[in-house]
Amino acid sequence: MAERSAQVRADAEALRRTTARIAEGLAATEDNLAATLERLAASAPGHAPRLTDAAHHARRFAAELRARTPP
């Protein structure tokens, strides 16, 4: 029984680490998306308000992901 409990704890920790890596990768992707949208906004003034708003949402989502993901 102790062996099984130790294995369950090890599996849970491995899953936590994997989830954290995935969340950080997604947050980094959102940051890259925001940077791309900001560059597009600078080069397309007619669309700048919508692109800037989308970039803001992407950055906010990235921040929320990082805040909700345990270290």
Side-chain angles (χ1 to χ4, degrees):
M1 186 68 165
E3 290 174 20
R4 182 162 172 80
S5 294
Q7 184 61 47
V8 168
R9 283 191 298 277
D11 289 347
E13 179 58 22
L15 181 59
R16 187 202 61 75
R17 285 192 311 270
T18 299
T19 302
R21 280 194 306 272
I22 291 168
E24 181 52 38
L26 181 55
T29 299
E30 289 293 320
D31 286 337
N32 290 336
L33 173 61
T36 300
L37 290 168
E38 289 165 349
R39 285 193 303 275
L40 284 171
S43 66
H47 298 286
R50 285 181 289 186
L51 291 168
T52 302
D53 187 51
H56 171 73
H57 286 289
R59 291 219 190 272
R60 191 171 67 208
F61 181 65
E64 287 176 16
L65 272 172
R66 288 185 175 109
R68 291 181 181 190
T69 305

